[in-house]
Structure formats: structure tokens, C-alpha cells
Amino acid sequence: MLPYVYRVTKYDPADRDQHGHYAGTEPAISDHGPVEATYLRAVAAFAEETGVEHLAIREPQIGGFAHFGLEPPVDGYGLVDLFPAGLTGFHDGALVPIAVGLELVRAMLRDHGAWCSLEAEGAFAVHVGWDQYLYVGSSRPCEAALARTRALGLFPERLDASPYDFAPDDPAYVQRPADADFWARLHWVVSAHRATFLEETYVGNASRWHRLTRDNIEAVRAQLTPRAQLAVWPDLLTDVAAAVAALPEEGLAEVIWEDEDGRITSAVVDETQFEAVTSEIAGACAVGVVSMYADERQPLFTAVLPDSDGVLRARWQTEPTPSDRDWAFLKTLRRGQVVTGTVTSIAGFGVTFVDIGGFTAMINIPELSWRPIDHPSDVVSVGQQITAEVLDVDMVRERVPLSLRAVQEDPWPQVAQRIGQVVTGPVTKIVPFGVFVRIEDREDGFEGLVHAGELDESTGGVVEVGDALTVKIIDVDLARRRIALSQTQARTPRHQGDRHS
């Protein structure tokens, strides 16, 4: 916030009533003449004394569907001569010389339908408010500029802050940037046919739509307006009749249509314009209807473009989707972090789902226990609170695998210390290359393989599940979690310390 802020107006403070409201005769619109010119000279004086030569456009917006100014809107919002390439040049962060900045102030004083804040970071700011109220902020007191403003017949007043200083809708919300993770996720959802369109809001109340394919994402990305707000949508388009039927009875809606050449057009309309837009889209190949109300407008996920150096300097925020909230939560996690959660469900295919603060993570069967289990319900139950370790944070698929066994002591090193022991245990499984024998006297005890070549010939090759075999532990592979057993080597005389399981 700048230390010196002044409200500059053509309204004499002596003409205010007891409530502080102006009661004089000055009109609340620009005279398009000498008074307007004095406003511009005053801004120029403050800029000169502050020492700024360029200003950055911040949070630009246009009138959109509704125009609330006292003067009628102007085609091109008064920006045509300032930005010959079109509105995409009127973007957040665009640097303009003071002369262009003054013309933008003129357009705002005239209510042409475009608005922005003009700033030199940490040094200077200009805001044009309603009814010809102008706010100038500076890092310097600007005594000469104040004197010049008064000499011009305007009335500067010191304030603590401009009412148009930027304030985020939700200061606690962490805006998702369109960084490498965003583009990787976009590629993934497009490849999975879950996303088809990218909405690019390049200035407040104005957007362009792009159809996405696996082959054109990078080409679309290259033509996006700097610091644009992005929204990824599923396939919204359907046939004309279905789209017309989807129009609400009343209220605002955005209609998107695609012509036979692949051009996509959109328009925001209300019930008074439904008939006209229906006629407009009659020849379209496909049409979609999107509500303009935030609680009904749900893209898949959103982001804001960072600058070319990867830093997100745009201050505006997109309306967060569930995916955006998941992203914000995932950014707080790291591999190896220990988290606490509640088991919410156990899928038929064996995956356990856990709520870890509003995000659903998952535990695959091998990560539930170091010991062999048949089903997750052998270890956990729905509603149980557990502590687990984060194995990975997949920002592309928005998945977090957990491990319950990672926070438990690994019993395998103790098993490795038993190499050479002779034990007796039941046969649990018969396979073509041998049999498995449980070497611990517990239901979830570890099992080892007796290879066919290590079976005692005295059995005659006839072994059944449940038979008790005496075997020797001959190897424990800690890397692959495998135990090798031998029945033939168990026939040698027992050594001290051999035991029966």
C-alpha cells in the first residue's frame, strides 16, 4: 500500500451536505473538455514528481453484458486507437507509457466501458472511480503536484487508502498457476477424453474458447493472452435443438457455438435475447449453454497464467473448483510425510480409501501390512482412524498413495536372522514348481517356498494343503521379500537353536 493517497475531484468540499455528500452543481459525467483535461494534467503532474514513465495495466475489465456508466458505451470501449491489435493487448501486466496511461484515464472518465488500475509497483497508482472521483497514490508526498492540482481548479484530499486498492475475494485461497503441473494434467485429461475446451478469460468479462486435442494443446498455449484466467471444460457442445432446450427460463447464460470451419464464438445473453441468439446459432454445427452463476458454473479445473519467468504476478482469482481445492491441498503434502485420516471405504478390488483432510487418498493391499493378508478388512475397517506415510503426490492424476506398513516396524530383518533354522509348518499353497509353507505359528505368518528340487523324495511327491512339513530356512531375500525353504536340508541333524514353529 502506498503511503500517500489523494482523492482528486472537481467537487468543492464546501458544497458537501452534513452527511458528506456533494450537493453542488458539477455534473457527475465528463465534460469531454477543459475539466477532463485538468484531471489528465493532474495525473501527469503526480507521475512526473514520482518519477515514473510507464504504468502497468492491472485487473483490466470491460462492461460485458451490463453497462452501468452514466454515458453510453463506445464501440471498442475507447481502446481501438490505443491497442490496434485488439483487446488482447489490454491485458493484466501490460506496460504502457504515461501518454497511453492518460488516454486510458480519459476513457474511464468517459465511462467508455473499460476499466483498469494503472500502477508502477511500489511507487505509483491511479484509480478512476464512479462519478469522476480520481484516486492517485504515490511513494512520495508530491507537494508540487498537489499545488499544481489546486492551481488547475481541482480539489485533492489526503486519504489513508484508495477504495479501489486490490483486495482478493479470499485472501486465504492459494491461486493455482498454469505451471508445468497444470499443462501435464491438461494433456492427461485431454488424452483421457475428459476435457475438450479451454476457456481463456483475457480481460474481465471477455473470454475466448479453444477446442483442445492431444495435438494442438501447445499451439493453443502459445497464443494465450499473458496472465489470462483459464478454465478447462468437458465437451459442452451438443446439437442446436438440445442447446436451445437447455436455455434457462430467465437469467444470464453463456452460449457457445462452433461453425463448420471450427471457429468458436460465445455470447452472454439473458431471457430478452434468447430468441435472437437462437436465430444466430441456427446454422451452427454444435452449441453449448453454460450458466453465468458461480454455483452452477463448474469447469473441471482452473488456473491463471504466470509470467514467462514462471512467477504468478496476476492478482485476480478464478472461482475454485473441487479439483482446484484438491490441488491446493496436495501442494501441502510431500513424499514421506506422515498423515492421519479416516477409512471411508474398501473397494471390491482391494483398494482402501482414506480421507486425509477432505482429500481421498488410497492404500493398495501390499501397503497395508508387512505380513500376508487376504483382504484389507483383515487390517482396517470403515470409520477407523489410521496413521500412514505419503508414498507419492501425483499432481497430474491428483492421486496420493499411502502406506500403513511404512509407519510400522519392518519384521523382515528379524526373519532374515532365522536363516539356518529348522521349523515345522503347514502347507498353504501348492504350485507347479513347489509348495509354500508357513513358518510362523500365526494366521498372518510369513510363508516360504520349498522348490520342487528341495522336497524330500520320501514324500513320494504327494503333498496336500494343510500337511505339516519340516523345513529349513535357507535364504531370505529382503529386496524381493521372499523366503526360500528346503525339506531335504532339514533332514540333517538339528543344531542347537532349531525350533518348531
Side-chain angles (χ1 to χ4, degrees):
M1 185 172 296
L2 295 170
Y4 300 96
V5 178
Y6 303 98
R7 179 172 61 191
V8 178
T9 72
K10 59 184 176 181
Y11 308 120
D12 189 337
D15 292 331
R16 292 178 184 154
D17 61 20
Q18 66 271 27
H19 303 293
H21 300 146
Y22 179 68
T25 59
E26 284 286 351
I29 60 175
S30 173
D31 67 345
H32 295 231
V35 176
E36 178 184 272
T38 61
Y39 273 105
L40 303 184
R41 293 192 190 101
V43 173
F46 279 99
E48 181 179 5
E49 188 166 353
T50 305
V52 298
E53 297 180 351
H54 290 82
L55 295 172
I57 294 171
R58 302 307 308 268
E59 292 80 50
Q61 57 184 273
I62 59 174
F65 174 80
H67 177 73
F68 298 103
L70 296 179
E71 296 191 49
V74 173
D75 289 342
Y77 309 101
L79 306 178
V80 175
D81 294 334
L82 302 179
F83 302 97
L87 273 180
T88 53
F90 180 59
H91 66 78
D92 190 84
L95 279 179
V96 297
I98 289 294
V100 173
L102 293 176
E103 290 305 315
L104 286 170
V105 172
R106 187 195 304 276
M108 289 185 274
L109 287 171
R110 293 183 179 185
D111 282 334
H112 278 168
W115 188 91
C116 68
S117 172
L118 293 166
E119 301 179 9
E121 186 175 2
F124 188 74
V126 180
H127 304 142
V128 179
W130 295 107
D131 302 333
Q132 308 290 291
Y133 280 81
L134 185 74
Y135 300 86
V136 179
S138 177
S139 58
R140 303 176 183 179
C142 297
E143 296 294 346
L146 285 170
R148 172 67 173 155
T149 300
R150 294 187 183 99
L152 289 168
L154 299 178
F155 302 92
E157 299 173 84
R158 179 81 181 270
L159 299 178
D160 292 332
S162 166
Y164 295 92
D165 281 338
F166 179 80
D169 295 333
D170 181 0
Y173 176 63
V174 179
Q175 175 59 54
R176 185 180 199 164
D179 56 7
D181 287 338
F182 171 87
W183 294 107
R185 177 159 176 76
L186 182 58
H187 275 278
W188 181 71
V189 295
V190 169
S191 296
H193 306 291
R194 294 179 54 206
T196 308
F197 289 101
L198 181 68
E199 181 188 13
E200 171 199 3
T201 301
Y202 55 91
V203 61
N205 298 319
S207 60
R208 297 187 297 181
W209 291 75
H210 309 272
R211 178 179 286 278
L212 298 175
T213 68
R214 284 178 292 183
D215 299 326
N216 78 345
I217 292 178
E218 292 306 313
V220 169
R221 179 181 180 180
Q223 65 181 2
L224 295 174
T225 303
R227 300 189 182 180
Q229 301 176 62
L230 307 179
V232 178
W233 293 85
D235 193 349
L236 299 167
L237 303 191
T238 180
D239 61 79
V240 174
V244 171
L247 287 170
E249 292 185 4
E250 60 181 11
L252 292 175
E254 184 170 11
V255 180
I256 307 107
W257 65 95
E258 187 173 24
D259 65 20
E260 58 185 11
D261 295 324
R263 288 190 298 266
I264 300 175
T265 306
S266 68
V268 177
V269 295
D270 68 1
E271 64 276 7
T272 65
Q273 299 169 302
F274 287 169
E275 184 176 348
V277 79
T278 299
S279 175
E280 179 75 21
I281 64 178
C285 296
V287 184
V289 176
V290 177
S291 173
M292 291 301 294
Y293 302 104
D295 57 343
E296 301 173 1
R297 187 180 176 90
Q298 284 293 322
L300 298 175
F301 54 99
T302 69
V304 173
L305 275 175
D307 291 348
S308 58
D309 60 1
V311 177
L312 182 62
R313 295 186 177 88
R315 299 180 299 209
W316 46 25
Q317 296 176 339
T318 57
E319 189 70 30
T321 68
S323 174
D324 296 336
R325 294 187 182 94
D326 286 346
W327 168 86
F329 178 74
L330 294 185
K331 293 295 285 186
T332 69
L333 300 180
R334 66 184 186 281
R335 186 178 300 178
Q337 181 177 342
V338 175
V339 296
T340 300
T342 303
V343 177
T344 56
S345 64
I346 300 174
F349 49 88
V351 173
T352 300
F353 293 100
V354 183
D355 183 330
I356 54 170
F359 180 85
T360 301
M362 62 183 185
I363 308 177
N364 289 315
I365 285 183
E367 295 297 333
L368 282 169
S369 175
W370 293 106
R371 297 184 171 278
I373 61 173
D374 294 325
H375 191 268
S377 59
D378 295 338
V379 180
V380 295
S381 59
V382 173
Q384 178 182 347
Q385 189 174 67
I386 63 169
T387 299
E389 182 178 302
V390 175
L391 294 179
D392 189 26
V393 181
D394 187 338
M395 300 299 292
V396 174
R397 292 170 176 81
E398 293 183 353
R399 294 177 182 171
V400 176
L402 303 178
S403 174
L404 189 60
R405 72 178 188 176
V407 298
Q408 303 167 349
E409 183 180 0
D410 183 356
W412 277 89
Q414 295 180 5
V415 175
Q417 294 177 9
R418 299 180 60 188
I419 294 175
Q421 289 185 3
V422 175
V423 299
T424 299
V427 174
T428 59
K429 187 189 303 181
I430 300 174
V431 294
F433 47 84
V435 300
F436 285 90
V437 176
R438 188 166 68 235
I439 64 170
E440 294 179 304
D441 190 18
R442 49 189 291 176
E443 286 298 319
D444 61 354
F446 289 114
E447 300 174 355
L449 172 66
V450 184
H451 196 275
E454 295 292 337
L455 286 170
D456 193 332
E457 295 180 359
S458 65
T459 62
V462 180
V463 179
E464 296 181 354
V465 172
D467 288 351
L469 291 187
T470 299
V471 295
K472 183 177 184 178
I473 302 172
I474 58 175
D475 187 40
V476 176
D477 186 337
L478 290 177
R480 296 192 293 173
R481 307 287 174 173
R482 293 180 179 178
I483 302 171
L485 307 175
S486 172
Q487 187 185 27
T488 58
Q489 296 183 42
R491 293 173 57 195
T492 59
R494 290 192 173 192
H495 300 283
Q496 186 176 3
D498 291 352
R499 66 182 63 179
H500 193 283
S501 73

